[in-house]
Amino acid sequence: MNLLERLAEMDGEQVVFCHDALAGLRGLIAIHDTTLGPAMGGLRIHPYPSEEEALEDALRLSRAMTMKASAAGLNLGGGCAVVICDLRQGKSEALLRAFGRQVEGLGGRFTIAEDAGTTVEDMETIAQETRYVVGLNKRRGGSGDPALKAALGVFHGIQACLEAVFGDRGLRNRRVAIQGVGAVGLELARLLGEEGAALVVADTDSRRIDKVRTFLQAEVVAPEKISGVDCDVFSPCALGGVLTEAAVAGLRARIVAGSANNQLESERVGDLLHARGITYAPDFVINAGGLINAAEELQGYDETTANAKIGKLFQTIQTILRLAREKSIPSHVAANQWAQDRIRVIRDVRRTFLPAEH
Ligand code: NAD
């Protein structure tokens, strides 16, 4: 792979390769775009089969973070860190701290957060070496588990979709089918259930279903049935790529709104949703609650303020759905335009010379 060519294709800014033999560190940090502010992104620890796959994942995720931060109105850019490591061998303290030192060396151009394969405890370990880490324990003034806030954002986004489709955001007697009741899906089910929604859930892990049953009333269906359930809202909260052409053809919901990243298998699937008149809440917009919450930590975390900012996802989703309607374009296209426009306009605004910046 020609690395620089790939970076140019992705319109990325910088890739930093990180190595520490003693700590067993092999990883990289991709910084996609810092027009709006310093890059923020998750640390993904995964046994990537090759360096190319690790780099590709980091480039893709860093670009997605740029879009997510922009759409959420945050003054942050997009970044992503990946470490190639077999999790069965465990994440050593040395590995995490060595990585923290690499992050510190970037002087604040990149702030690290939790992602697949990392935990709040890992962020605490990393914080011993760098100031540029968020997602710390609430006891330490951190913002805690991002999944709960991702769920809160999806909850507001679903209400915005209901308002757009039915003229009423109320959840009483609305039927919501949730695919995946993991960290985000379970909390979302709780929030929706509290507001009187009828729930249908599916999960490939029976322990997760047992957990739902301990405190919620929900109908359970087989994982392969959930996308075809007759309901108002289908909420994908498991994996990416679940919205395939076949899945969209079988949808009986009026709205698709969930937390999973990269829900559309392809752009064409977004067009199909639009053609079928199904209201789709673009994934990178509706699932930004975790990022908004973590970003709050940079200012000194206050949960009330964070929740209020996450609540604004209601207006953001409304705005994007309105733009899509006015321009007769699919909502995923409207969301991309909305996020890119903000970056372009702010880049232009910041062309004015300020003595203090020099
Ligand atoms: P999780 O691993 O805790 O939960 C995912 C659940 O989906 C698991 O219970 C799993 O058993 C289930 N599942 C997997 N395949 C399934 C299938 N085919 N059908 C039904 N269930 C299936 O993950 P999470 O943290 O809840 O995240 C869920 C999604 O939301 C992911 O796509 C993630 O990238 C995205 N997301 C998460 C956050 C966050 O802060 N956790 C933030 C934004 C976006």
Side-chain angles (χ1 to χ4, degrees), residues 66-139:
T66 298
M67 299 294 280
K68 192 182 288 205
S70 174
L74 297 169
N75 287 326
L76 290 174
C80 175
V82 301
V83 165
I84 305 172
C85 170
D86 188 344
L87 283 173
R88 283 171 306 185
Q89 288 161 14
K91 298 163 275 185
S92 70
E93 179 193 356
L95 177 117
L96 294 169
R97 289 182 68 163
F99 197 72
R101 292 185 76 79
Q102 299 274 351
V103 172
E104 182 66 23
L106 290 172
R109 269 180 58 69
F110 175 67
T111 296
I112 199 163
E114 185 189 326
D115 200 332
T118 49
T119 61
V120 174
E121 288 70 37
D122 295 338
M123 296 302 117
E124 303 272 324
T125 306
I126 289 170
Q128 293 179 57
E129 303 296 340
T130 182
R131 295 159 283 173
Y132 306 113
V133 55
V134 291
L136 301 179
N137 210 301
K138 281 194 177 162
R139 278 181 281 106

Side-chain angles (χ1 to χ4, degrees), residues 68 146-147 150 179-185 202-205 208 223 237-240 259-261 287 290:
K68 192 182 288 205
Q179 179 183 48
V181 275
V184 180
D203 201 297
T204 44
D205 183 345
R208 299 304 303 181
C237 295
L239 312 163
S259 74
N261 280 308
N287 74 12

